[in-house]
């Protein structure tokens, strides 16, 4: 008989185990989906919309409007690095993290081809030591990571933001949109645990995103704009795009890193 729960992280790990492992029907597990994503990114020629080497249209819009300025940036769930490479070309100092070494290798190739420097990290952003995610970051970019997290891992996500996002810093988020023209699962959080399956990603409403990120100030929240194939930007309408800003007057309230990362 095992008693495995003593800390909050123990509870989160226990809940991770409720979802199907990546070996079962190719479903994505929480926190250990490296093999799934390695297979997903293995064929670079697949006609996957976000395999294109183009930045998100909303991200380009934020820079063009002067809403965000070059600084230190973290790309969470960077995949093949399309946004990370774009930001580096626009003058940002970029760290980019992904679970999949196959995706990271592709991103490194793209950075080399573009002649830019991006510091790629391979691993789970929630488990990387402080020396690896060396914030604070002026900008955290998440283009499709958040909506692949199980509900309980939002706790880890918000703690990570508290740790790495600088006062006055921005979160640029894209996530599956609920409702007409959207995609992703619209099951309630409780039903996801009953089904023990993330169903390819979770859909969100604007209200749910505003509630989850209510500690940040909303700058913009809208549908992503559809971009034509010839565009230099990536845009599809089944995603929400959001820009949130952390209060510039906030100071660190304590060490919010996972317990195993604390000195």
């Amino acid at each position: 008989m095992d008693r495995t729960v003593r800390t909050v992280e123990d509870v989160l790990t226990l809940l991770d185990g409720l979802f199907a492992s990546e070996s079962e029907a190719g479903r994505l597990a929480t926190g250990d989906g490296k093999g799934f994503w390695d297979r997903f990114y293995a064929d670079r020629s697949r006609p996957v919309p976000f395999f294109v080497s183009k930045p998100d249209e909303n991200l380009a819009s934020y820079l063009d409007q002067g809403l965000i300025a070059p600084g230190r940036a973290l790309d969470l769930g960077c995949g093949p690095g399309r946004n990370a490479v774009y930001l580096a070309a626009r003058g940002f100092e970029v760290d980019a993290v992904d679970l999949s070494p196959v995706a990271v290798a592709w991103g490194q190739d793209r950075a080399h081809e573009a002649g830019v420097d991006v510091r790629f990290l391979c691993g789970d952003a929630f488990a990387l030591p402080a020396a690896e995610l060396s914030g604070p970051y002026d900008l955290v970019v998440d283009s499709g990571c958040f909506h692949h997290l199980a509900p309980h891992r939002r706790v880890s996500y918000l703690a990570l933001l508290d740790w790495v996002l600088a006062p006055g810093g921005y979160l640029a988020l894209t996530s599956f949109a609920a409702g007409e023209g959207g995609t992703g699962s619209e099951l309630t959080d409780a039903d996801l645990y009953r089904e023990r399956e993330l169903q390819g990603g979770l859909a969100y409403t604007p209200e749910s995103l505003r509630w989850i990120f209510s500690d940040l100030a909303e700058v913009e929240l809208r549908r992503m704009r559809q971009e034509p194939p010839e565009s230099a930007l990536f845009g599809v309408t089944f995603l929400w795009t959001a820009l949130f800003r952390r209060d510039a007057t906030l100071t660190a309230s304590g060490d919010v890193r996972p317990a195993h990362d604390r000195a």
Side-chain angles (χ1 to χ4, degrees):
M1 180 178 68
D2 290 332
R3 299 293 184 218
T4 58
V5 173
R6 189 180 70 85
T7 68
V8 171
E9 188 60 32
D10 292 336
V11 175
L12 299 179
T13 300
L14 179 68
L15 292 173
D16 287 346
L18 295 180
F19 291 91
S21 72
E22 61 184 346
S23 62
E24 296 179 30
R27 297 175 182 139
L28 176 62
T30 304
D32 66 346
K34 181 180 74 66
F36 175 94
W37 292 113
D38 280 349
R39 294 189 296 273
F40 186 83
Y41 288 115
D43 181 1
R44 300 183 182 184
S45 66
R46 290 174 60 205
V48 176
F50 54 86
F51 275 15
V52 296
S53 187
K54 301 177 180 181
D56 288 346
E57 62 83 9
N58 56 299
L59 190 60
S61 174
Y62 303 150
L63 268 69
D64 291 344
Q65 294 178 66
L67 293 177
I68 55 178
R72 297 199 67 209
L74 172 64
D75 188 354
L76 288 174
C78 65
R82 57 190 180 83
N83 285 316
V85 169
Y86 170 78
L87 289 171
R90 292 291 297 262
F92 284 81
E93 179 186 345
V94 184
D95 290 349
V97 61
D98 200 277
L99 277 174
S100 167
V102 174
V104 166
W106 190 358
Q108 289 171 329
D109 288 345
R110 281 181 166 173
H112 178 74
E113 291 167 3
V116 297
D117 291 326
V118 176
R119 180 172 172 258
F120 283 96
L121 304 169
C122 188
D124 182 346
F126 302 144
L128 288 172
E132 292 293 319
L133 289 183
S134 54
Y137 296 98
D138 305 296
L139 173 66
V140 173
V141 175
D142 178 342
S143 185
C145 175
F146 178 73
H147 60 217
H148 285 297
L149 300 179
H152 61 276
R153 281 297 171 184
R154 294 177 201 139
V155 176
S156 305
Y157 191 97
L158 293 173
L160 181 66
L161 287 182
D162 284 344
W163 168 26
V164 302
L165 189 60
Y170 292 89
L171 168 67
L173 177 76
T174 68
S175 69
F176 287 149
E180 184 178 356
T183 190
S185 174
E186 296 192 25
L187 288 180
T188 67
D189 285 353
D191 283 340
L192 289 167
Y193 289 95
R194 295 186 184 100
E195 296 292 330
R196 297 192 178 189
E197 187 178 336
L198 298 182
Q199 303 194 342
L202 311 186
Y204 287 88
T205 64
E207 293 75 22
S208 61
L209 292 175
R210 290 181 177 118
W211 175 71
I212 292 167
F213 296 104
S214 57
D215 287 341
L216 305 175
E218 178 187 331
V219 179
E220 179 180 84
L221 201 165
R222 61 170 173 81
R223 286 268 185 176
M224 180 176 265
R225 299 187 183 99
Q226 185 71 42
E227 292 289 333
E230 65 273 14
S231 172
L233 305 174
F234 171 80
V236 290
T237 57
F238 59 76
L239 297 172
W240 296 121
T241 71
L243 185 66
F244 295 101
R245 184 174 185 265
R246 189 176 190 183
D247 190 331
T249 66
L250 288 180
T251 57
S253 59
D255 192 345
V256 295
R257 286 173 290 163
H260 59 264
D261 285 340
R262 294 177 186 158

